Amino acid sequence: MNAAAPRRIRVLIADDQRVVREGLGMLVSLIDEVEVVASASDGAEAVRLAEAHNPDVILMDLRMPGVDGVAATADLRQLLPAARVLVLTTYADDAAILSALRAGAVGYLTKDASAEQIETAIRAVHAGQTHLDPAVQARLVAAVTGTGPGPGAGADSGAGPGAGPGAGPGAGPGAGPAPDQAGRAGPPPDGLTSREAEVLTLLASGLSNTEIAQRLFLSNATVKTHINRIFAKTGARDRAQAVRYAYQHGMATPAE
């Protein structure tokens, strides 16, 4: 008896520009073991089609008429929590990035991404990983650590050089030791063990569970246990929120 063929990754494309939808549809349909199940011209249609077709991954534009990509992402998170939203947009400003991640997106690419980068991102988010374009990751770090302009910057604009990432919500009472160059100050926050902090740092750098296990000489099951404990202690609901937590607390820094 022949082994069953691997299940194809089902992708829905949402973009208000027809030429973009059709171009992405052609590009994605050429990826092995991936199929485009539907295309939507706005966020409302994306939600309707996602409920009808139950895609694994949704390539989501942000700026669309009517219901935009952020609102659609938030709706999909409630209606189809297993679906993975991968933002693919022209915009990489701080407000757009943070809004999309807060809504539930687990990946973020700009439209200058190559076909290879899009394929990598689709496979990564489908496998349960977070995938951020390096430039997007750098802007996210700058926004949440106060090292550059970003949403909420007004509240932090008066902070001096000593106000590190731990100064935001979640920082323990009292002023701890000054952060080092990596932004780390004292023991890990929120009761994280040193090993959990190490796993979180690797997770935030984009490594999969298997890669983390290989790096730390642990089993995949042990890594999964550490990640579940990290989620519980930090209040993160998914890997994207854990990544954001790591940036906010100086446990991850952008690649040079």
Side-chain angles (χ1 to χ4, degrees), residues 15-17 41-44 61-69:
D15 196 290
D16 63 322
Q17 295 184 343
S41 59
D42 59 39
D61 189 20
L62 291 185
R63 308 286 172 87
M64 294 184 288
V67 177
D68 65 15

Side-chain angles (χ1 to χ4, degrees), residues 36-61:
V36 177
V37 296
S39 296
S41 59
D42 59 39
E45 187 178 20
V47 173
R48 290 196 302 271
L49 291 175
E51 289 186 285
H53 294 277
N54 195 27
D56 301 304
V57 176
I58 300 163
L59 286 179
M60 182 74 74
D61 189 20

Side-chain angles (χ1 to χ4, degrees), residues 19 29 41 58 69 80 101 106 111 135 180 199 202 216 220 247 252:
V19 66
S29 66
S41 59
I58 300 163
L80 297 171
L101 294 179
V106 295
K111 286 182 179 176
D180 59 21
V199 169
L202 294 176
L216 299 179
N220 282 359
Y247 291 151

